[in-house]
Amino acid sequence: MRRRKFLTLMGAAGAGLALGKTPAHAASNAHFEGYPDAKAVLFDATRCIGCRKCEEACNKVNKLPAPAKPFTDLTVLDTERRTSAKAHTVVNKYMPAGAAAPVFRKIQCNHCQEPACASACFVRAFKKNPDGSVTYDASVCVGCRYCIMACPFNVPTYEYDEPLTPRVMKCTMCHPQITAGELSVPGCVGACPKEALVYGRRKDILKIAHARIEANPGRYVDHVYGEREMGGTNWLTLSGAPFKEIGMREDLGVTSAPELTSGALAVVPMVAALWPALLGGIWAISKRNEKTADEERAAAVKAAVAGNQAENDAKLAKFKEQAEKDKAGSIEREVKKALEEAAAAAKEEEGA
Amino acid sequence: MKARPLLRWAGVLCVFAAVSVYCIEASGSGDPKAPAAEQADIVLIDDMTAYGKLELPPVVFAHDKHTEALKKAGKDCAACHKQENGKLVLKFMRVADGDAQAMKSVYHDNCIGCHAQTAAKGQKAGPQDGQCRSCHNPKAAAGKQLDMGFTNVLHYRHAESKDIASPSGDKDNCGRCHHEYDKAAKKTVWAKGKEGTCRYCHLDKPVKDAALGVEVESFRQAAHNDCVTCHLGMEQKKQATGPVLCAGCHGATGQKSIRANDKKVLDKIGGELPRMKRGQPDAAVIAVNVDKAQAASGARIYAMRPAPFDHKAHEQATDTCRACHHKSMDSCTKCHTVQGTKDSNFVTLETAMHGLASTRSCVGCHQTRQADPKCAGCHTSADRGKKASNESCRKCHAEPVQGLPALDPAALSGMKAADEKPLAEPYLAARRMEAQVFATEDIPEKVTIKVLADEYEPSELPHRKIVMTLLKNMKDDKLAGYFHGDMGTVCQGCHHNSPVSKTPPSCASCHAKPFSPNEPGRPGLKAAYHGQCMGCHTAMKLEKPVATDCANGCHKPRKK
């Protein structure tokens, strides 16, 4: 097969795929905006006083081991912490430039509308529930920890000190407890003395967040963090200081993680299923062409060989005859030479 | 082979020459030295930007440093500034700007010329020819001039000074500074009784006034020309006078000393500043302008009730006349009509009186006073976004008072301020200016909050003490006193969103005991208590109890 022909075929196949995909994509305006009655939590950093009651409640509700220092010890806030397998939520203290007093921020799973952890998990251990929470099923987890790598908020953690059955650990928005009717609101929300955390339908919570910004001129940055970040989250944040100054990423964009990867991942079936068939076909065609060519060559050789046989025989005979002739001539010459030598020797002897 | 060492030496010399040239040039462009006098005197000479792209960075010039140095050398302002019509020209060594080359020469010849002369005398001198980067220094510190304003106290000090004489021999000093341009006489003259603030005519930039046929100096030019020239003249006559250096007016230390002197003067006259002598009213009535013809036809006039206004009290409460009279000394209603006029930039009377965006409006200015920690506990930022109550409207828009003539908008339209005074004064006199509260025995002394007692013992709130402290905070404040003149207004700070009452409903009437996810917009009872107490304590800057100190602050841990 010629190189040009191969490329033409490949190009046509590629264009076909592209054409096949585009209209389908354009015809759909489906955009997942979250489950209609999904719940959300609003964290208001301007209300948080850094008392760690939420951490304490989380620990109690999730039956986590007691921490090294008690929850009443506020010196813990002096070092910046992240979530761990034993603390699904932590409060950090920040001192934004120009602020008169420190600002506190609570960190936990943000419960993305379209979670990166769930999209990275190939055994579907993560699930986005209709109540807005993102939960994890340890029974199917293989421990690859892709979820930990995928999370843009650095939230899921791993039980590294659990030798036999390590699990990925993160906030569940108290989904199991609320489903079981043990709690009406997540543990942290119920424990907050300042209602820096409120819980309700995401739609209502968003309205409340915007209403607070409008009703309190100058108190807030005019942005609800999580309304659109990474496709939107079910944990929203209001702040008086720029979000960057309280340790929140401002570079995430508004596209959800699955949406970002779906383009590349959609090619995988094409490569896995289509390419073998396509390349196999191309190989079969070229193989068949080669076989025909071989047969044709063999026939041509055969015909050529048959036509030349007689001529060759004649030539051979001629050569043979010539060779015989040469042979006979040389014998004769040698005999003659020997005879002459013998005659000369006899003459010398007579002379002596 | 023989030429090689020679070549090597030549190379070494070349590199050495290049390095030393670079270093000499660079040595002039060091980091800025310690900021002289808070950098108030640092002037950026960037006049050349008007002529196109700069070859070198603009010059950073320390004005006070030069003034001091020249004074020591026995020279004065004339060393750098020319005179025109008996006044110093603020430009350096010229009366008007020339072309780029001429401008460059003015600076280079005069600056470097003077530096060279000084150096020739063996004295310490500034950068000279070739040390370009010493003046054109991109790393030099930028200047930081604080705004200087002429306050009422400062005005009083000038008006009462015996050293400042009015040019026309009048007993008041007004004419020494206040002027307007007389086109016929082609000079500035004093228009008695028409004095305004300098900024009415002297704007941010010089303006060509077509009607007068003159260029009106910018405020900056006018202030420096008149203030500094006068101060300098008095200083030369060895009289006590105001600042002559940049830092004196525009530096923090300078301003602090001005304020200290202001206070001394105020203390001497008993703390109350005498009013300005400009014939301003003691009291007036602010009313919408009503179409007189329409009113005469007997048609019913729909207008807000006029607002009696205590001009005298507001003079005492503000720093300058400009605080309200931002464009002219005329009455607000002259430009701000119901529909707005071109002169008012179509800012309506309603906005001019109530707009929150400006501190010149009545409500805008009153709200800035709420930022005082004494007031901020109740008047939070949330309060600022709220619509004012009907009671607060009536505070200014006078309800008819029995026995007093009603204030008729039609009659008040176009009335002279002098005629408004007798109408306004009885209304103002009838106002109650002290904050009121219910009888002491009606205010619960202690309130025990026990509905939430679980982890902690019930919390005891020193209720009466809080009310009395709030009232005490308002004692000497007329504004606060007037607006809290009704019994129960103070209570509304905590007992909000319910009608004023001696027995307001309990907090739990509206705030559900646990937070309810069905109504996430309304705080649960626990958050309502904490929000109210902690929010107020933070706004009032009360250090104790610390919000996170549950067990030692307001609660006692419950014994198990």
Side-chain angles (χ1 to χ4, degrees), chain A residues 49 51 53 74 185 190-195 198-199 205 208 215-217, chain B residues 381-382 455-456 515 517 520-524 526-527 530-531 534 547-548:
Chain A
I49 54 170
C51 65
K53 293 271 183 211
L74 299 182
V185 294
C192 182
K194 280 292 297 293
E195 244 166 63
V198 290
Y199 177 76
I205 291 290
I208 288 168
N216 298 276
Chain B
S381 61
E455 205 179 326
Y456 299 99
F515 160 77
R522 179 178 296 187
K526 182 166 64 172
H530 286 132
M534 290 177 190
T548 47

PDB file of all heavy atoms in Angstrom, chain A residues 49 51 53 74 185 190-195 198-199 205 208 215-217, chain B residues 381-382 455-456 515 517 520-524 526-527 530-531 534 547-548:
ATOM      1  N   ILE A  49     -16.251  32.886  64.300  1.00  0.00           N
ATOM      2  CA  ILE A  49     -15.409  33.435  65.364  1.00  0.00           C
ATOM      3  C   ILE A  49     -14.259  32.496  65.699  1.00  0.00           C
ATOM      4  O   ILE A  49     -13.470  32.772  66.592  1.00  0.00           O
ATOM      5  CB  ILE A  49     -16.236  33.744  66.638  1.00  0.00           C
ATOM      6  CG1 ILE A  49     -17.021  32.494  67.082  1.00  0.00           C
ATOM      7  CG2 ILE A  49     -17.174  34.913  66.406  1.00  0.00           C
ATOM      8  CD1 ILE A  49     -17.663  32.626  68.451  1.00  0.00           C
ATOM      9  N   CYS A  51     -14.334  29.231  66.897  1.00  0.00           N
ATOM     10  CA  CYS A  51     -14.478  28.565  68.192  1.00  0.00           C
ATOM     11  C   CYS A  51     -14.250  27.054  68.102  1.00  0.00           C
ATOM     12  O   CYS A  51     -14.130  26.385  69.122  1.00  0.00           O
ATOM     13  CB  CYS A  51     -15.856  28.848  68.785  1.00  0.00           C
ATOM     14  SG  CYS A  51     -17.219  28.154  67.821  1.00  0.00           S
ATOM     15  N   LYS A  53     -16.300  24.739  67.376  1.00  0.00           N
ATOM     16  CA  LYS A  53     -17.440  23.902  67.762  1.00  0.00           C
ATOM     17  C   LYS A  53     -17.825  22.975  66.609  1.00  0.00           C
ATOM     18  O   LYS A  53     -18.290  21.864  66.830  1.00  0.00           O
ATOM     19  CB  LYS A  53     -18.636  24.780  68.132  1.00  0.00           C
ATOM     20  CG  LYS A  53     -18.423  25.592  69.386  1.00  0.00           C
ATOM     21  CD  LYS A  53     -18.852  24.840  70.621  1.00  0.00           C
ATOM     22  CE  LYS A  53     -18.690  25.719  71.851  1.00  0.00           C
ATOM     23  NZ  LYS A  53     -18.381  24.978  73.051  1.00  0.00           N
ATOM     24  N   LEU A  74      -7.570  26.716  71.421  1.00  0.00           N
ATOM     25  CA  LEU A  74      -7.598  27.510  70.188  1.00  0.00           C
ATOM     26  C   LEU A  74      -6.209  27.841  69.656  1.00  0.00           C
ATOM     27  O   LEU A  74      -6.084  28.468  68.607  1.00  0.00           O
ATOM     28  CB  LEU A  74      -8.415  28.787  70.408  1.00  0.00           C
ATOM     29  CG  LEU A  74      -9.888  28.573  70.791  1.00  0.00           C
ATOM     30  CD1 LEU A  74     -10.612  29.897  70.925  1.00  0.00           C
ATOM     31  CD2 LEU A  74     -10.616  27.687  69.791  1.00  0.00           C
ATOM     32  N   VAL A 185     -29.886  18.677  60.386  1.00  0.00           N
ATOM     33  CA  VAL A 185     -28.901  19.468  59.642  1.00  0.00           C
ATOM     34  C   VAL A 185     -27.547  18.821  59.904  1.00  0.00           C
ATOM     35  O   VAL A 185     -27.397  18.100  60.893  1.00  0.00           O
ATOM     36  CB  VAL A 185     -28.872  20.945  60.114  1.00  0.00           C
ATOM     37  CG1 VAL A 185     -30.172  21.643  59.795  1.00  0.00           C
ATOM     38  CG2 VAL A 185     -28.557  21.059  61.591  1.00  0.00           C
ATOM     39  N   GLY A 190     -25.403  22.475  62.967  1.00  0.00           N
ATOM     40  CA  GLY A 190     -26.171  22.508  64.202  1.00  0.00           C
ATOM     41  C   GLY A 190     -25.369  23.039  65.372  1.00  0.00           C
ATOM     42  O   GLY A 190     -25.925  23.634  66.298  1.00  0.00           O
ATOM     43  N   ALA A 191     -24.054  22.846  65.323  1.00  0.00           N
ATOM     44  CA  ALA A 191     -23.222  23.235  66.462  1.00  0.00           C
ATOM     45  C   ALA A 191     -22.776  24.683  66.411  1.00  0.00           C
ATOM     46  O   ALA A 191     -22.364  25.245  67.423  1.00  0.00           O
ATOM     47  CB  ALA A 191     -21.997  22.329  66.531  1.00  0.00           C
ATOM     48  N   CYS A 192     -22.850  25.306  65.237  1.00  0.00           N
ATOM     49  CA  CYS A 192     -22.290  26.660  65.099  1.00  0.00           C
ATOM     50  C   CYS A 192     -23.086  27.663  65.925  1.00  0.00           C
ATOM     51  O   CYS A 192     -24.281  27.847  65.707  1.00  0.00           O
ATOM     52  CB  CYS A 192     -22.276  27.087  63.638  1.00  0.00           C
ATOM     53  SG  CYS A 192     -21.556  28.723  63.425  1.00  0.00           S
ATOM     54  N   PRO A 193     -22.436  28.335  66.889  1.00  0.00           N
ATOM     55  CA  PRO A 193     -23.167  29.274  67.745  1.00  0.00           C
ATOM     56  C   PRO A 193     -23.539  30.563  67.028  1.00  0.00           C
ATOM     57  O   PRO A 193     -24.400  31.301  67.486  1.00  0.00           O
ATOM     58  CB  PRO A 193     -22.188  29.562  68.882  1.00  0.00           C
ATOM     59  CG  PRO A 193     -20.848  29.317  68.298  1.00  0.00           C
ATOM     60  CD  PRO A 193     -21.010  28.241  67.266  1.00  0.00           C
ATOM     61  N   LYS A 194     -22.862  30.865  65.910  1.00  0.00           N
ATOM     62  CA  LYS A 194     -23.100  32.139  65.228  1.00  0.00           C
ATOM     63  C   LYS A 194     -23.890  31.960  63.939  1.00  0.00           C
ATOM     64  O   LYS A 194     -24.112  32.910  63.221  1.00  0.00           O
ATOM     65  CB  LYS A 194     -21.744  32.811  64.899  1.00  0.00           C
ATOM     66  CG  LYS A 194     -21.076  33.534  66.043  1.00  0.00           C
ATOM     67  CD  LYS A 194     -21.820  34.785  66.511  1.00  0.00           C
ATOM     68  CE  LYS A 194     -21.963  35.901  65.515  1.00  0.00           C
ATOM     69  NZ  LYS A 194     -20.759  36.582  65.124  1.00  0.00           N
ATOM     70  N   GLU A 195     -24.273  30.747  63.633  1.00  0.00           N
ATOM     71  CA  GLU A 195     -24.889  30.460  62.342  1.00  0.00           C
ATOM     72  C   GLU A 195     -24.020  30.985  61.209  1.00  0.00           C
ATOM     73  O   GLU A 195     -24.506  31.574  60.239  1.00  0.00           O
ATOM     74  CB  GLU A 195     -26.310  31.007  62.246  1.00  0.00           C
ATOM     75  CG  GLU A 195     -27.326  29.891  62.104  1.00  0.00           C
ATOM     76  CD  GLU A 195     -28.751  30.351  62.330  1.00  0.00           C
ATOM     77  OE1 GLU A 195     -29.224  31.185  61.558  1.00  0.00           O
ATOM     78  OE2 GLU A 195     -29.369  29.863  63.284  1.00  0.00           O
ATOM     79  N   VAL A 198     -25.219  27.843  57.489  1.00  0.00           N
ATOM     80  CA  VAL A 198     -26.655  27.564  57.400  1.00  0.00           C
ATOM     81  C   VAL A 198     -26.874  26.513  56.321  1.00  0.00           C
ATOM     82  O   VAL A 198     -26.108  26.406  55.366  1.00  0.00           O
ATOM     83  CB  VAL A 198     -27.513  28.827  57.109  1.00  0.00           C
ATOM     84  CG1 VAL A 198     -27.531  29.744  58.310  1.00  0.00           C
ATOM     85  CG2 VAL A 198     -27.038  29.559  55.893  1.00  0.00           C
ATOM     86  N   TYR A 199     -27.952  25.740  56.501  1.00  0.00           N
ATOM     87  CA  TYR A 199     -28.220  24.588  55.652  1.00  0.00           C
ATOM     88  C   TYR A 199     -29.622  24.699  55.099  1.00  0.00           C
ATOM     89  O   TYR A 199     -30.559  25.084  55.826  1.00  0.00           O
ATOM     90  CB  TYR A 199     -28.065  23.322  56.509  1.00  0.00           C
ATOM     91  CG  TYR A 199     -28.376  22.005  55.845  1.00  0.00           C
ATOM     92  CD1 TYR A 199     -27.483  21.429  54.953  1.00  0.00           C
ATOM     93  CD2 TYR A 199     -29.541  21.320  56.158  1.00  0.00           C
ATOM     94  CE1 TYR A 199     -27.748  20.192  54.378  1.00  0.00           C
ATOM     95  CE2 TYR A 199     -29.815  20.081  55.587  1.00  0.00           C
ATOM     96  CZ  TYR A 199     -28.914  19.526  54.695  1.00  0.00           C
ATOM     97  OH  TYR A 199     -29.172  18.307  54.132  1.00  0.00           O
ATOM     98  N   ILE A 205     -30.469  28.855  49.511  1.00  0.00           N
ATOM     99  CA  ILE A 205     -29.206  29.268  50.131  1.00  0.00           C
ATOM    100  C   ILE A 205     -28.496  30.305  49.257  1.00  0.00           C
ATOM    101  O   ILE A 205     -27.942  31.292  49.755  1.00  0.00           O
ATOM    102  CB  ILE A 205     -28.316  28.026  50.357  1.00  0.00           C
ATOM    103  CG1 ILE A 205     -28.922  27.141  51.442  1.00  0.00           C
ATOM    104  CG2 ILE A 205     -26.882  28.399  50.677  1.00  0.00           C
ATOM    105  CD1 ILE A 205     -28.857  27.712  52.834  1.00  0.00           C
ATOM    106  N   ILE A 208     -30.164  33.570  49.736  1.00  0.00           N
ATOM    107  CA  ILE A 208     -29.796  34.155  51.028  1.00  0.00           C
ATOM    108  C   ILE A 208     -28.408  34.779  50.933  1.00  0.00           C
ATOM    109  O   ILE A 208     -28.173  35.895  51.414  1.00  0.00           O
ATOM    110  CB  ILE A 208     -29.839  33.073  52.129  1.00  0.00           C
ATOM    111  CG1 ILE A 208     -31.289  32.710  52.428  1.00  0.00           C
ATOM    112  CG2 ILE A 208     -29.128  33.542  53.390  1.00  0.00           C
ATOM    113  CD1 ILE A 208     -31.446  31.469  53.274  1.00  0.00           C
ATOM    114  N   ALA A 215     -27.683  43.414  51.386  1.00  0.00           N
ATOM    115  CA  ALA A 215     -28.175  44.110  52.576  1.00  0.00           C
ATOM    116  C   ALA A 215     -27.063  44.694  53.436  1.00  0.00           C
ATOM    117  O   ALA A 215     -27.315  45.522  54.296  1.00  0.00           O
ATOM    118  CB  ALA A 215     -29.020  43.164  53.418  1.00  0.00           C
ATOM    119  N   ASN A 216     -25.831  44.250  53.213  1.00  0.00           N
ATOM    120  CA  ASN A 216     -24.733  44.720  54.048  1.00  0.00           C
ATOM    121  C   ASN A 216     -23.649  45.366  53.201  1.00  0.00           C
ATOM    122  O   ASN A 216     -22.609  44.768  52.962  1.00  0.00           O
ATOM    123  CB  ASN A 216     -24.119  43.542  54.825  1.00  0.00           C
ATOM    124  CG  ASN A 216     -25.126  42.919  55.756  1.00  0.00           C
ATOM    125  OD1 ASN A 216     -25.335  43.382  56.867  1.00  0.00           O
ATOM    126  ND2 ASN A 216     -25.777  41.866  55.289  1.00  0.00           N
ATOM    127  N   PRO A 217     -23.891  46.582  52.720  1.00  0.00           N
ATOM    128  CA  PRO A 217     -22.914  47.191  51.824  1.00  0.00           C
ATOM    129  C   PRO A 217     -21.531  47.272  52.460  1.00  0.00           C
ATOM    130  O   PRO A 217     -21.399  47.689  53.605  1.00  0.00           O
ATOM    131  CB  PRO A 217     -23.485  48.593  51.557  1.00  0.00           C
ATOM    132  CG  PRO A 217     -24.689  48.745  52.390  1.00  0.00           C
ATOM    133  CD  PRO A 217     -25.009  47.473  53.048  1.00  0.00           C
TER     134      PRO A 217
ATOM    135  N   SER B 381     -23.927  47.488  59.748  1.00  0.00           N
ATOM    136  CA  SER B 381     -23.945  47.743  58.302  1.00  0.00           C
ATOM    137  C   SER B 381     -25.266  47.263  57.699  1.00  0.00           C
ATOM    138  O   SER B 381     -25.719  47.802  56.696  1.00  0.00           O
ATOM    139  CB  SER B 381     -22.750  47.084  57.634  1.00  0.00           C
ATOM    140  OG  SER B 381     -22.786  45.697  57.818  1.00  0.00           O
ATOM    141  N   ALA B 382     -25.896  46.259  58.322  1.00  0.00           N
ATOM    142  CA  ALA B 382     -27.172  45.770  57.794  1.00  0.00           C
ATOM    143  C   ALA B 382     -28.229  46.865  57.897  1.00  0.00           C
ATOM    144  O   ALA B 382     -29.085  47.015  57.036  1.00  0.00           O
ATOM    145  CB  ALA B 382     -27.629  44.546  58.568  1.00  0.00           C
ATOM    146  N   GLU B 455     -25.572  22.529  77.685  1.00  0.00           N
ATOM    147  CA  GLU B 455     -24.173  22.295  78.010  1.00  0.00           C
ATOM    148  C   GLU B 455     -23.721  23.254  79.116  1.00  0.00           C
ATOM    149  O   GLU B 455     -22.837  22.965  79.898  1.00  0.00           O
ATOM    150  CB  GLU B 455     -23.358  22.566  76.739  1.00  0.00           C
ATOM    151  CG  GLU B 455     -22.049  21.853  76.661  1.00  0.00           C
ATOM    152  CD  GLU B 455     -21.355  22.179  75.355  1.00  0.00           C
ATOM    153  OE1 GLU B 455     -22.037  22.366  74.320  1.00  0.00           O
ATOM    154  OE2 GLU B 455     -20.119  22.270  75.375  1.00  0.00           O
ATOM    155  N   TYR B 456     -24.377  24.442  79.115  1.00  0.00           N
ATOM    156  CA  TYR B 456     -24.009  25.493  80.069  1.00  0.00           C
ATOM    157  C   TYR B 456     -25.195  25.835  80.963  1.00  0.00           C
ATOM    158  O   TYR B 456     -26.343  25.571  80.623  1.00  0.00           O
ATOM    159  CB  TYR B 456     -23.552  26.747  79.331  1.00  0.00           C
ATOM    160  CG  TYR B 456     -22.350  26.533  78.458  1.00  0.00           C
ATOM    161  CD1 TYR B 456     -22.496  26.333  77.086  1.00  0.00           C
ATOM    162  CD2 TYR B 456     -21.063  26.518  79.007  1.00  0.00           C
ATOM    163  CE1 TYR B 456     -21.383  26.134  76.286  1.00  0.00           C
ATOM    164  CE2 TYR B 456     -19.955  26.319  78.199  1.00  0.00           C
ATOM    165  CZ  TYR B 456     -20.121  26.126  76.845  1.00  0.00           C
ATOM    166  OH  TYR B 456     -19.029  25.930  76.067  1.00  0.00           O
ATOM    167  N   PHE B 515     -31.979  25.720  64.668  1.00  0.00           N
ATOM    168  CA  PHE B 515     -32.006  26.320  63.337  1.00  0.00           C
ATOM    169  C   PHE B 515     -32.827  25.441  62.415  1.00  0.00           C
ATOM    170  O   PHE B 515     -32.701  24.215  62.428  1.00  0.00           O
ATOM    171  CB  PHE B 515     -30.572  26.453  62.822  1.00  0.00           C
ATOM    172  CG  PHE B 515     -30.474  26.608  61.337  1.00  0.00           C
ATOM    173  CD1 PHE B 515     -30.763  27.823  60.760  1.00  0.00           C
ATOM    174  CD2 PHE B 515     -30.114  25.547  60.528  1.00  0.00           C
ATOM    175  CE1 PHE B 515     -30.683  27.978  59.393  1.00  0.00           C
ATOM    176  CE2 PHE B 515     -30.036  25.691  59.158  1.00  0.00           C
ATOM    177  CZ  PHE B 515     -30.325  26.908  58.593  1.00  0.00           C
ATOM    178  N   PRO B 517     -33.857  24.177  58.705  1.00  0.00           N
ATOM    179  CA  PRO B 517     -33.454  24.218  57.294  1.00  0.00           C
ATOM    180  C   PRO B 517     -34.599  24.641  56.380  1.00  0.00           C
ATOM    181  O   PRO B 517     -34.381  24.944  55.216  1.00  0.00           O
ATOM    182  CB  PRO B 517     -33.000  22.789  57.000  1.00  0.00           C
ATOM    183  CG  PRO B 517     -33.585  21.952  58.067  1.00  0.00           C
ATOM    184  CD  PRO B 517     -33.829  22.826  59.249  1.00  0.00           C
ATOM    185  N   PRO B 520     -33.914  28.900  56.113  1.00  0.00           N
ATOM    186  CA  PRO B 520     -32.498  29.164  56.404  1.00  0.00           C
ATOM    187  C   PRO B 520     -32.162  30.649  56.486  1.00  0.00           C
ATOM    188  O   PRO B 520     -31.097  31.008  56.975  1.00  0.00           O
ATOM    189  CB  PRO B 520     -31.761  28.486  55.236  1.00  0.00           C
ATOM    190  CG  PRO B 520     -32.781  28.298  54.178  1.00  0.00           C
ATOM    191  CD  PRO B 520     -34.129  28.286  54.802  1.00  0.00           C
ATOM    192  N   GLY B 521     -33.074  31.521  56.033  1.00  0.00           N
ATOM    193  CA  GLY B 521     -32.785  32.955  56.054  1.00  0.00           C
ATOM    194  C   GLY B 521     -32.967  33.574  57.435  1.00  0.00           C
ATOM    195  O   GLY B 521     -32.487  34.673  57.682  1.00  0.00           O
ATOM    196  N   ARG B 522     -33.667  32.873  58.341  1.00  0.00           N
ATOM    197  CA  ARG B 522     -33.896  33.455  59.660  1.00  0.00           C
ATOM    198  C   ARG B 522     -33.035  32.728  60.693  1.00  0.00           C
ATOM    199  O   ARG B 522     -33.087  31.506  60.783  1.00  0.00           O
ATOM    200  CB  ARG B 522     -35.376  33.314  60.023  1.00  0.00           C
ATOM    201  CG  ARG B 522     -35.689  33.889  61.405  1.00  0.00           C
ATOM    202  CD  ARG B 522     -37.144  33.786  61.731  1.00  0.00           C
ATOM    203  NE  ARG B 522     -37.948  34.592  60.810  1.00  0.00           N
ATOM    204  CZ  ARG B 522     -39.253  34.777  60.962  1.00  0.00           C
ATOM    205  NH1 ARG B 522     -39.898  34.227  61.958  1.00  0.00           N
ATOM    206  NH2 ARG B 522     -39.913  35.502  60.094  1.00  0.00           N
ATOM    207  N   PRO B 523     -32.254  33.468  61.471  1.00  0.00           N
ATOM    208  CA  PRO B 523     -31.375  32.799  62.437  1.00  0.00           C
ATOM    209  C   PRO B 523     -32.176  31.991  63.454  1.00  0.00           C
ATOM    210  O   PRO B 523     -33.265  32.404  63.860  1.00  0.00           O
ATOM    211  CB  PRO B 523     -30.657  33.956  63.135  1.00  0.00           C
ATOM    212  CG  PRO B 523     -30.793  35.117  62.215  1.00  0.00           C
ATOM    213  CD  PRO B 523     -32.081  34.921  61.485  1.00  0.00           C
ATOM    214  N   GLY B 524     -31.620  30.855  63.826  1.00  0.00           N
ATOM    215  CA  GLY B 524     -32.192  30.083  64.923  1.00  0.00           C
ATOM    216  C   GLY B 524     -31.949  30.822  66.221  1.00  0.00           C
ATOM    217  O   GLY B 524     -31.201  31.807  66.262  1.00  0.00           O
ATOM    218  N   LYS B 526     -30.291  30.219  69.000  1.00  0.00           N
ATOM    219  CA  LYS B 526     -28.909  30.287  69.506  1.00  0.00           C
ATOM    220  C   LYS B 526     -28.104  31.336  68.738  1.00  0.00           C
ATOM    221  O   LYS B 526     -27.404  32.163  69.325  1.00  0.00           O
ATOM    222  CB  LYS B 526     -28.266  28.898  69.368  1.00  0.00           C
ATOM    223  CG  LYS B 526     -26.849  28.856  69.904  1.00  0.00           C
ATOM    224  CD  LYS B 526     -26.347  27.442  70.087  1.00  0.00           C
ATOM    225  CE  LYS B 526     -26.244  26.688  68.781  1.00  0.00           C
ATOM    226  NZ  LYS B 526     -25.580  25.382  68.939  1.00  0.00           N
ATOM    227  N   ALA B 527     -28.249  31.294  67.399  1.00  0.00           N
ATOM    228  CA  ALA B 527     -27.498  32.245  66.574  1.00  0.00           C
ATOM    229  C   ALA B 527     -28.036  33.656  66.752  1.00  0.00           C
ATOM    230  O   ALA B 527     -27.289  34.630  66.660  1.00  0.00           O
ATOM    231  CB  ALA B 527     -27.561  31.831  65.121  1.00  0.00           C
ATOM    232  N   HIS B 530     -26.404  34.891  69.975  1.00  0.00           N
ATOM    233  CA  HIS B 530     -24.971  35.111  69.783  1.00  0.00           C
ATOM    234  C   HIS B 530     -24.701  36.231  68.789  1.00  0.00           C
ATOM    235  O   HIS B 530     -23.790  37.032  68.968  1.00  0.00           O
ATOM    236  CB  HIS B 530     -24.291  33.824  69.329  1.00  0.00           C
ATOM    237  CG  HIS B 530     -24.137  32.823  70.434  1.00  0.00           C
ATOM    238  ND1 HIS B 530     -24.474  31.505  70.298  1.00  0.00           N
ATOM    239  CD2 HIS B 530     -23.686  32.963  71.697  1.00  0.00           C
ATOM    240  CE1 HIS B 530     -24.232  30.868  71.431  1.00  0.00           C
ATOM    241  NE2 HIS B 530     -23.757  31.725  72.306  1.00  0.00           N
ATOM    242  N   GLY B 531     -25.506  36.251  67.713  1.00  0.00           N
ATOM    243  CA  GLY B 531     -25.305  37.280  66.691  1.00  0.00           C
ATOM    244  C   GLY B 531     -25.511  38.658  67.273  1.00  0.00           C
ATOM    245  O   GLY B 531     -24.728  39.577  67.063  1.00  0.00           O
ATOM    246  N   MET B 534     -22.647  39.250  70.295  1.00  0.00           N
ATOM    247  CA  MET B 534     -21.269  39.347  69.784  1.00  0.00           C
ATOM    248  C   MET B 534     -21.143  40.439  68.734  1.00  0.00           C
ATOM    249  O   MET B 534     -20.148  41.150  68.689  1.00  0.00           O
ATOM    250  CB  MET B 534     -20.840  38.013  69.177  1.00  0.00           C
ATOM    251  CG  MET B 534     -20.634  36.913  70.201  1.00  0.00           C
ATOM    252  SD  MET B 534     -20.229  35.382  69.324  1.00  0.00           S
ATOM    253  CE  MET B 534     -20.339  34.209  70.656  1.00  0.00           C
ATOM    254  N   ALA B 547     -15.229  36.427  72.326  1.00  0.00           N
ATOM    255  CA  ALA B 547     -16.332  35.654  71.751  1.00  0.00           C
ATOM    256  C   ALA B 547     -16.157  34.142  71.917  1.00  0.00           C
ATOM    257  O   ALA B 547     -17.135  33.411  72.047  1.00  0.00           O
ATOM    258  CB  ALA B 547     -16.483  36.001  70.275  1.00  0.00           C
ATOM    259  N   THR B 548     -14.906  33.666  71.909  1.00  0.00           N
ATOM    260  CA  THR B 548     -14.694  32.219  71.971  1.00  0.00           C
ATOM    261  C   THR B 548     -14.502  31.710  73.399  1.00  0.00           C
ATOM    262  O   THR B 548     -14.315  30.523  73.617  1.00  0.00           O
ATOM    263  CB  THR B 548     -13.459  31.834  71.133  1.00  0.00           C
ATOM    264  OG1 THR B 548     -12.399  32.721  71.453  1.00  0.00           O
ATOM    265  CG2 THR B 548     -13.754  31.909  69.654  1.00  0.00           C
TER     266      THR B 548
END
